[in-house]
Every structure is written in C-alpha cells, then in structure tokens.
Amino acid sequence: MVETILITLLIVAISLVLLGVKVFFTKGGKFPNGHVSGNKVLRKKGIGCAQSQDREAQKKPRFSIDELEKALNDSMN
C-alpha cells in the first residue's frame, strides 16, 4: 500500500518537473498562455473565448438614442 503511494507520488513529481522544464530552467520562463485570446491565429480570424465575446457584447449599447426615438415614433404612427 505504502509502496503504491510512493510510486504514485514519484510519477506525479517527475511529471510536474517535465511539464515545467521551460519554467524552472530558463531565465524568465513562464507557462504558455492557454487562453483562446492568447492564440495569434485565432485572433486574426476574429475568434475569442465566450467570456471575452460576452464582455464586448455587454459594452455595446443595444440601441442608440436615435434608433429608440425612431422606433417610438414608428410605433405611435
């Protein structure tokens, strides 16, 4: 039982070191950006993640005042 746990911990530790080689052993190393908006090719295509697209959609007003006035005038006529 203890041997299995130790072997498992050893495998996990080796995996973490191998995954972090760039981070641990290079100056200024950091993990790659896994976010969709961090991918240059997807940005060129105009593709973003759902959170970014939702944030942009919430910034835009639904209607301009001119459109609202026109809609109100059309509905009254």
Side-chain angles (χ1 to χ4, degrees):
M1 174 77 175
V2 174
E3 291 177 5
T4 306
I5 293 173
L6 290 176
I7 292 172
T8 303
L9 289 175
L10 181 65
I11 291 172
V12 170
I14 291 171
S15 299
L16 287 174
V17 170
L18 291 175
L19 286 171
V21 166
K22 182 178 178 183
V23 176
F24 299 135
F25 300 115
T26 59
K27 186 176 180 179
K30 56 184 176 180
F31 285 105
N33 186 356
H35 199 260
V36 174
S37 63
N39 188 324
K40 291 178 185 177
V41 176
L42 293 177
R43 271 189 286 167
K44 285 181 182 178
K45 292 182 178 183
I47 299 171
C49 72
Q51 290 177 340
S52 300
Q53 289 176 343
D54 183 51
R55 191 178 315 117
E56 290 298 319
Q58 299 231 352
K59 285 182 184 177
K60 295 178 185 177
R62 289 188 176 195
F63 300 102
S64 68
I65 292 179
D66 294 333
E67 290 175 350
L68 287 173
E69 287 177 355
K70 183 179 177 186
L72 287 173
N73 289 336
D74 289 344
S75 66
M76 290 185 173
N77 290 333

